[in-house]
């Protein structure tokens, strides 16, 4: 992500530091130093007499970088510098011409290039270690100075209360240092993983050296020089990888020391913030100073906006000129060359990109001005939230700050989206610049377009940075206000809490669900007014209706009991009167409730057309069902609890209402059946006169089974089952001689109104019969077929010997 000028420098510096630590290790295999001294039979490099020896004994410890530097940094720096001189000398010897004289015959150019790369890697790693050692020394000196400063610090000085601006500076500094610590800890974790990888690669480098040494000992005389050179080059590779490993370890130590410095600074800042806790004031002078700062920033932004407006005008003229020139080229006779067209198109594209960038500059500057204005308002809200004596005013200011925090999320999403668009355009522009065969003029214009896009990205990044600044400040302020509230006396906290509860309840109560148009007569004229239906009106109307309906229900039940007891009215008829009376009272109560709650009846105006259609087309069916319900209630041929079968649906009647009845099937499914269907259709009422229902279980036994024993055992099973009624008694019938079995039927009765399931009882009896037959040795029959083969002559049977 592209930052503004200062942020870009900071990020670039960090990335450069990380790249210096890991660039060599990522691109090349690293290794730890082998456990072998420099003088262990390493051959002298032919042609390099002055640099043939491997140098001072300290070179053998290059991979031990961290331990050596921590014990004796001066000697470690001396060793590293000495190595650098020798390595650069070797590198210069190998880089002298296409075929250096110092290289024996038989060494290829690729091997020489590989040796040069490893020597370069070695030098870069040592330079990195030197930088890290210097940084470690500086960081430790800074750490000692910070500890001394912390020991000498005795307080913020002056008399409390302290300015909130000073405390804000400390808080921002502490937050910045926390971010730095987290970033450096992540860098160290990456370095640790890289060290693990390099340790694994070290084994391969050591193995390569040993293989080449073995090959050198067994080489023939003409090849000994080349073999010795290869051993030396492999040892350079090993040294380079060890130096890389040491450089990364030193860099990790440097980062660790910098983390310690930042943590010490953070500890001092935390101590300062703790010392002034509860002794901070936000005065009107502080607020006025903030206003002056923001006004200065706004004036600077307005100046930039004027410059951006002038730039838009200039770039508009440039774009129009380039467009006209391109049009003339396309219409020219004879036709212009393709190269000229490409240059004109690239020029127009660069001019259009610059114009768009200037226009977006104006838009981004306007957004920055809006943020500056909003920032002043947020500071005023913070002032009210901390200093206002009125609890309602404090609450409103706190709520407005939280709302501002939510708004910053929207701004951050907007800024991120704009940056993503510019990054996409930069990607497309990079693809254009990578095309081959472009003329210098096209390349120059494409580079200008890229610069315009980068400028646009920087401006958008400036907006995002400003949004982040406001967001961090708001988060800190909200947390600060929460802590301030906890420090208030309990009476003020209670008042603030009650104010918050009252405000929240008022907001919910006055929330408008929707509005309706109503017509009122004012001074003889009809005027259309808009009336809102709020949560308060709706809840009030609902409570009033529910309370009135409960009272009406109690009165209706009393009326039902009075009609039944004192006037001899049938209970079903009395129940019908109660239901109709309650319906009528409910309708009247609804109209009165809406009028009392000032909810106009026009809310239900949309129902007028539907009601007219219903009256025209649905009255016949409604009345028919209503009259059928009255007949059912009076005749009582179908009552609640009866088991009926209608149109293939079998179940228990659970409700008999005025319009329809409810039948709950044995599967648990409720069916709504119009009352007219119960009167006009064929209905089987199993329990109208008797709740007992007969069921049959048929059993087939094999031919030859004792029929009397079969009947006795089946009857015994029915008599032992607890849900089979005793009267009428169960019976066993020998029903038929089947094709494959003797068919017996067990006829028994159950009481369905007692909740007995016929399917369950039949299943139980089948289990019992099967077990009883098994105990008595009676076989259950299964289908059998006899097959008779009728042939006029004997069947021919042949034995065929298998072929070998």
């Amino acid at each position: 992500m592209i930052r503004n000028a200062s942020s870009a420098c900071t990020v670039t510096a960090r990335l450069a530091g990380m790249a210096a630590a890991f660039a060599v290790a990522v691109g090349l295999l690293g290794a730890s130093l082998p456990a072998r001294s420099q003088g262990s039979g390493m051959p002298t490099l032919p042609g390099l007499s002055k640099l043939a020896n491997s140098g001072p004994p300290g070179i053998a410890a290059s991979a031990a970088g961290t331990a050596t530097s921590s014990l004796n940094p001066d000697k470690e720096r001396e060793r590293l510098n000495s190595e650098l001189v020798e390595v650069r000398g070797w590198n210069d010897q190998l880089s002298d011409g296409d075929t250096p004289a110092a290289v024996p015959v038989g060494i290829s150019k690729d091997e020489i290039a590989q040796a040069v790369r490893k020597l370069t890697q070695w030098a870069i790693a040592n330079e990195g270690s030197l930088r890290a050692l210097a940084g470690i020394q500086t960081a430790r000196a800074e750490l000692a100075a910070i500890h001394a400063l912390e020991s000498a610090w005795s307080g913020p000085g002056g008399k409390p209360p302290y300015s909130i601006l000073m405390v804000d500076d400390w808080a921002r500094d502490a937050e910045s240092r926390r971010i730095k610590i987290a970033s450096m800890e992540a860098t160290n974790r990456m370095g640790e993983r890289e060290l693990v990888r390099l340790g694994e690669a070290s084994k391969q480098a050591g193995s390569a050296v040993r293989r080449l040494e073995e090959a050198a000992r067994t080489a023939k005389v003409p090849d000994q020089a080349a073999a010795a050179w290869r051993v030396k080059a492999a040892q350079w590779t090993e040294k380079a990888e060890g130096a890389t490993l040491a450089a990364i370890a030193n860099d990790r130590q440097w980062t660790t020391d910098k983390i310690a410095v930042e943590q010490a600074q953070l500890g001092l800042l935390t101590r300062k913030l703790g010392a002034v806790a509860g002794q901070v004031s936000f005065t009107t002078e502080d607020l006025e100073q903030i206003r002056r700062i923001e006004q200065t920033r706004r004036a600077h932004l307005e100046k930039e906006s004027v410059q951006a407006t002038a730039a838009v005008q200039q770039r508009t003229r440039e774009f129009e000129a380039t467009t006209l020139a391109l049009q003339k080229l396309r219409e020219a006779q004879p036709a212009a060359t393709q190269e000229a067209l490409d240059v004109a198109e690239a020029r127009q594209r660069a001019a259009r990109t610059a114009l768009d960038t200037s226009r977006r500059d104006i838009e981004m500057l306007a957004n920055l001005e809006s943020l500056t204005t909003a920032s002043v308002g947020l500071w005023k809200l913070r002032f009210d939230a901390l200093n206002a004596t009125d609890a309602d005013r404090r609450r409103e200011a706190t709520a407005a700050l939280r709302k501002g925090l939510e708004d910053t999320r929207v701004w951050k999403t907007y800024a991120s989206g704009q940056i993503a668009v510019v990054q996409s355009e930069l990607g497309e522009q990079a693809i254009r610049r990578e095309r081959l065969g472009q003329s210098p003029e096209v390349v120059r214009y494409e580079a200008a377009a890229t610069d315009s896009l980068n400028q646009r990205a920087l401006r958008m990044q400036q907006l995002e940075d400003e949004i982040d600044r406001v967001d961090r400040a708001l988060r800190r302020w909200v947390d600060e206000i929460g802590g301030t509230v906890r420090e208030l006396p309990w009476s003020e906290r209670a008042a603030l809490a009650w104010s918050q509860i009252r405000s929240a309840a008022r907001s919910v109560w006055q929330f408008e669900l929707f509005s309706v148009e109503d017509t009122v007569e004012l001074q003889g004229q009809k005027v259309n007014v808009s009336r809102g239906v709020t949560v308060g009106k709706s809840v009030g109307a609902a409570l009033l209706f529910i309370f009135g309906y409960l009272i009406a229900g109690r009165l209706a039940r009393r009326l039902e009991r009075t009609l039944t007891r004192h006037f001899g009215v049938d209970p079903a008829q009395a129940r019908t009167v109660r239901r109709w009376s309650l319906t009528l009272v409910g309708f009247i109560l609804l109209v009165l409730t809406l009028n009392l709650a000032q909810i106009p009846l026009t809310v239900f105006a949309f129902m007028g057309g539907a009601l007219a259609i219903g009256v025209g087309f649905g009255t016949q069916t409604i009345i028919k069902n209503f009259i059928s319900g009255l007949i059912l209630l009076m005749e009582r041929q179908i009552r609640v609890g009866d088991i009926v079968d209608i149109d293939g649906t079998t179940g228990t009647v659970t409700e008999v209402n005025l319009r329809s009845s409810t039948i709950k099937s044995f599967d648990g499914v409720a069916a709504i059946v119009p009352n007219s269907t119960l009167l006009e259709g064929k209905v089987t009422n199993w329990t109208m006169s008797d709740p007992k229902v007969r069921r049959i279980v048929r059993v087939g036994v094999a031919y030859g089974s004792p029929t009397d024993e079969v009947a006795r055992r089946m009857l015994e099973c029915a008599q032992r089952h607890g849900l089979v009624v005793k009267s009428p008694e169960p019976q066993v019938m020998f029903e038929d001689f089947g094709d494959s079995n003797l068919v017996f039927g067990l006829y028994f009765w159950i009481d369905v109104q007692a909740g007995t399931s016929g399917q369950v009882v039949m299943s139980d009896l089948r289990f019992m019969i099967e077990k009883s037959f098994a105990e008595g040795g009676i076989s259950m029959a299964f289908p059998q077929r006899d097959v008779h083969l009728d042939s006029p002559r004997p069947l021919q049977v042949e034995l065929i010997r298998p072929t070998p």
Side-chain angles (χ1 to χ4, degrees):
M1 188 175 290
I2 303 173
R3 300 285 174 184
N4 55 21
S6 59
S7 300
C9 295
T10 304
V11 174
T12 304
R14 288 183 183 173
L15 293 177
M18 293 176 63
F22 298 112
V24 177
V26 172
L28 302 168
L29 287 176
S32 60
L33 186 68
R36 180 173 61 255
S37 67
Q38 186 73 5
S40 59
M42 180 186 295
T44 302
L45 179 63
L48 297 180
S49 57
K50 294 183 179 180
L51 302 175
N53 293 329
S54 38
I59 296 178
S62 64
T66 304
T68 305
S69 64
S70 61
L71 294 176
N72 196 336
D74 293 334
K75 289 185 178 180
E76 179 66 9
R77 279 192 289 270
E78 182 180 354
R79 181 188 69 79
L80 291 171
N81 285 318
S82 177
E83 276 191 7
L84 275 175
V85 172
E86 295 181 352
V87 170
R88 288 167 180 166
W90 290 334
N91 204 345
D92 291 341
Q93 291 285 339
L94 292 179
S95 302
D96 186 14
D98 295 336
T99 306
V103 178
V105 178
I107 302 300
S108 65
K109 291 183 179 180
D110 291 339
E111 290 177 307
I112 297 173
Q114 176 67 10
V116 171
R117 283 195 296 269
K118 289 302 178 182
L119 289 171
T120 304
Q121 175 186 345
W122 191 352
I124 291 174
N126 281 6
E127 291 171 355
S129 291
L130 287 171
R131 285 193 301 270
L133 290 174
I136 289 171
Q137 186 175 4
T138 303
R140 290 178 180 176
E142 290 180 4
L143 183 61
I146 293 171
H147 285 322
L149 181 62
E150 185 176 8
S151 300
W153 191 81
S154 59
K159 295 182 179 180
Y162 302 102
S163 172
I164 198 170
L165 301 182
M166 178 186 70
V167 177
D168 278 353
D169 290 340
W170 290 348
R172 283 193 297 268
D173 194 5
E175 183 178 5
S176 175
R177 295 188 185 279
R178 290 190 188 95
I179 295 173
K180 290 180 181 178
I181 290 171
S183 176
M184 288 188 289
E185 287 176 346
T187 302
N188 261 359
R189 287 193 293 271
M190 291 174 59
E192 184 177 358
R193 294 177 182 176
E194 188 64 20
L195 288 176
V196 173
R197 187 189 68 81
L198 293 174
E200 293 295 330
S202 169
K203 299 177 182 179
Q204 300 178 7
S207 298
V209 172
R210 288 189 292 272
R211 286 195 303 270
L212 290 173
E213 287 177 346
E214 182 66 24
R217 284 194 291 268
T218 60
K220 297 179 180 180
V221 175
D223 300 330
Q224 286 182 353
W229 192 93
R230 291 189 178 95
V231 171
K232 184 67 174 179
Q235 290 171 346
W236 282 343
T237 299
E238 193 173 20
K239 295 288 187 179
E241 292 169 349
T244 302
L245 188 65
I248 294 177
N250 287 329
D251 190 78
R252 289 187 71 248
Q253 182 60 46
W254 183 17
T255 305
T256 301
D257 290 344
K258 288 190 290 186
I259 291 174
V261 171
E262 295 296 334
Q263 288 176 339
Q265 291 278 18
L266 180 60
L268 180 58
L269 289 170
T270 304
R271 182 181 171 190
K272 290 179 179 180
L273 291 171
V276 301
Q279 306 179 60
V280 182
S281 67
F282 191 2
T283 62
T284 54
E285 290 79 7
D286 295 335
L287 184 60
E288 188 61 30
Q289 183 178 351
I290 291 297
R291 284 174 176 163
R292 288 195 297 269
I293 294 172
E294 297 297 336
Q295 286 175 358
T296 302
R297 295 180 60 198
R298 184 178 179 84
H300 179 69
L301 291 173
E302 289 175 351
K303 183 178 179 181
E304 288 190 18
S305 297
V306 173
Q307 296 174 354
T309 303
V312 167
Q313 295 174 355
Q314 177 185 352
R315 289 174 177 175
T316 300
R317 291 191 294 269
E318 293 175 357
F319 175 68
E320 291 174 351
T322 57
T323 303
L324 182 61
L326 178 61
Q327 184 178 359
K328 289 181 178 179
L329 275 178
R330 288 173 176 171
E331 297 174 354
Q333 294 296 332
T337 62
Q338 184 61 42
E339 181 178 355
L341 287 173
D342 291 340
V343 171
E345 289 175 355
R347 181 186 175 194
Q348 185 199 37
R349 187 160 49 247
R352 182 173 59 248
T353 304
L355 177 59
D356 292 341
T357 297
S358 297
R359 289 172 176 171
R360 299 308 298 272
D361 268 356
I362 294 177
E363 181 183 346
M364 294 299 108
L365 288 169
N367 290 332
L368 287 171
E369 291 179 16
S370 299
L371 283 174
T372 303
T373 303
S375 180
V376 175
L378 292 173
W379 276 98
K380 181 62 172 61
L381 291 173
R382 184 190 186 192
F383 181 84
D384 291 341
L386 294 175
N387 297 332
T389 57
D390 185 10
D392 287 340
R393 190 175 175 184
R394 280 190 177 185
R395 177 192 51 76
E396 291 172 357
T398 304
L401 286 175
R402 291 195 174 95
K403 178 64 169 55
L405 190 59
E406 295 176 1
D407 292 340
T408 56
R409 297 193 186 99
V410 180
W411 276 91
K412 289 173 73 174
T413 303
Y414 165 76
S416 299
Q418 294 297 319
I419 291 175
V421 171
V422 177
Q423 288 176 340
S424 175
E425 293 178 356
L426 279 170
E428 296 175 359
Q429 187 64 24
I431 294 173
R432 291 194 200 97
R433 295 188 65 181
E434 291 172 358
R435 293 174 183 168
L436 301 176
Q438 293 180 338
S439 64
E441 290 83 358
V442 172
V443 172
R444 180 166 57 86
Y445 288 129
E446 296 295 349
T450 302
D451 292 340
S452 297
L453 289 174
N454 284 327
Q455 180 183 354
R456 189 188 310 175
L458 287 173
R459 181 67 75 183
M460 292 178 179
Q461 187 61 55
Q462 181 183 359
L463 175 63
E464 187 180 49
D465 290 342
E466 181 66 17
I467 295 170
D468 287 340
R469 183 185 69 84
V470 174
D471 181 70
R472 289 194 300 270
L474 281 174
R475 292 180 186 279
R476 190 172 64 251
W477 294 353
V478 170
D479 294 340
E480 169 193 63
I481 292 168
T484 304
V485 170
R486 287 191 292 271
E487 295 172 1
L488 292 175
W490 70 269
S491 57
E492 294 188 20
R493 282 185 291 174
L496 184 59
W498 172 248
S499 174
Q500 293 174 346
I501 294 173
R502 186 176 56 192
S503 175
R506 186 185 303 113
S507 299
V508 174
W509 190 260
Q510 296 178 352
F511 179 76
E512 185 175 295
L513 298 175
F514 56 90
S515 61
V516 294
E517 298 293 333
D518 193 14
T519 303
V520 297
E521 187 171 345
L522 184 63
Q523 296 180 354
Q525 296 181 352
K526 293 184 178 181
V527 180
N528 292 328
V529 296
S530 177
R531 293 187 180 181
V533 179
T534 63
V535 173
K537 288 183 178 181
S538 302
V539 172
L543 292 176
L544 184 60
F545 179 79
I546 292 172
F547 182 73
Y549 194 80
L550 291 176
I551 295 177
R554 293 179 64 88
L555 294 176
R557 284 192 292 272
R558 177 180 287 272
L559 174 63
E560 180 183 1
R561 290 194 297 270
T562 301
L563 290 176
T564 304
R565 296 176 182 177
H566 299 286
F567 295 96
V569 178
D570 185 75
Q573 296 176 347
R575 188 161 50 250
T576 301
V577 172
R578 175 179 66 82
R579 291 176 178 174
W580 269 105
S581 301
L582 190 59
T583 303
L584 180 61
V585 171
F587 177 76
I588 297 173
L589 185 63
L590 176 63
V591 176
L592 292 177
T593 300
L594 293 176
N595 285 327
L596 291 176
Q598 297 183 351
I599 299 177
L601 292 177
T602 52
V603 172
F604 308 99
F606 70 93
M607 296 180 59
L611 183 61
I613 295 174
V615 171
F617 294 96
T619 303
Q620 179 180 0
T621 303
I622 293 175
I623 294 177
K624 181 172 65 174
N625 287 321
F626 168 70
I627 296 175
S628 299
L630 292 177
I631 294 173
L632 289 175
L633 290 174
M634 289 184 292
E635 289 186 353
R636 297 178 59 80
Q637 291 183 348
I638 296 178
R639 296 166 294 181
V640 174
D642 286 351
I643 297 177
V644 298
D645 185 347
I646 177 171
D647 294 336
T649 301
T650 303
T652 304
V653 179
T654 57
E655 290 183 2
V656 179
N657 294 321
L658 295 177
R659 190 192 65 82
S660 63
S661 298
T662 303
I663 299 174
K664 187 174 183 180
S665 68
F666 296 135
D667 295 331
V669 179
I672 308 299
V673 181
N675 290 332
S676 59
T677 303
L678 295 176
L679 288 181
E680 297 175 355
K682 180 180 178 181
V683 180
T684 302
N685 191 339
W686 291 6
T687 58
M688 178 177 178
S689 57
D690 191 353
K692 297 176 183 178
V693 178
R694 191 181 72 176
R695 296 292 188 190
I696 305 173
V697 174
R698 289 186 171 86
V699 180
V701 298
Y703 277 93
S705 300
T707 56
D708 294 338
E709 181 66 15
V710 170
R712 185 186 68 79
R713 287 181 177 272
M714 292 178 64
L715 187 60
E716 180 184 357
C717 291
Q719 292 172 349
R720 285 192 293 112
H721 199 290
L723 296 180
V724 176
V725 299
K726 306 305 179 183
S727 178
E729 296 181 354
Q731 293 179 339
V732 176
M733 300 293 183
F734 190 165
E735 294 187 344
D736 196 6
F737 293 95
D739 293 338
S740 304
N741 55 10
L742 302 176
V743 182
F744 289 83
L746 175 59
Y747 293 78
F748 60 94
W749 296 78
I750 58 174
D751 188 351
V752 293
Q753 278 192 339
T756 304
S757 173
Q759 296 293 334
V760 174
V761 174
M762 293 168 69
S763 176
D764 292 343
L765 288 174
R766 290 189 181 100
F767 278 115
M768 295 170 67
I769 290 171
E770 191 276 335
K771 182 177 180 182
S772 178
F773 282 6
E775 292 174 353
I778 300 173
S779 300
M780 305 292 287
F782 55 87
Q784 300 177 8
R785 292 290 184 271
D786 292 335
V787 180
H788 298 275
L789 184 61
D790 186 9
S791 177
R793 58 182 179 178
L795 296 177
Q796 182 179 356
V797 179
E798 295 183 4
L799 297 177
I800 301 175
R801 185 183 303 273
T803 59

